[in-house]
Amino acid sequence: MKILIPLFMILAFSGSIFNLTQVNWTEPLVGKSSVAVIGVMASASAFLLLLILSLSIRVSKKLKKH
């Protein structure tokens, strides 16, 4: 779990960077560009959820110490 969460965070971040390169910025919601925008939002959501999970694990470890 110690290595898995940061690995997934790196994968989610790299997925969002990749999808950002696929977006057609003149018409971002047309054709394949809309799929890339959805991919960016999904990757960003996954990254935020993993960040919340890692923070909650840290808090629970600190609470168990006291």
Side-chain angles (χ1 to χ4, degrees):
M1 199 70 153
K2 197 178 233 184
I3 297 172
L4 204 59
I5 292 174
L7 177 70
F8 284 148
M9 288 175 76
I10 290 169
L11 288 173
F13 186 72
S14 62
S16 64
I17 296 297
F18 173 74
N19 281 321
L20 278 173
T21 62
Q22 303 298 313
V23 175
N24 180 6
W25 294 105
T26 57
E27 294 178 346
L29 297 176
V30 177
K32 289 184 180 180
S33 185
S34 64
V35 175
V37 169
I38 292 169
V40 169
M41 293 190 312
S43 299
S45 298
F47 182 81
L48 287 175
L49 287 172
L50 287 165
L51 183 66
I52 291 169
L53 177 63
S54 67
L55 291 175
S56 69
I57 289 172
R58 267 194 230 162
V59 167
S60 68
K61 284 182 182 178
K62 285 187 179 184
L63 288 178
K64 286 182 182 179
K65 283 184 179 180
H66 296 299

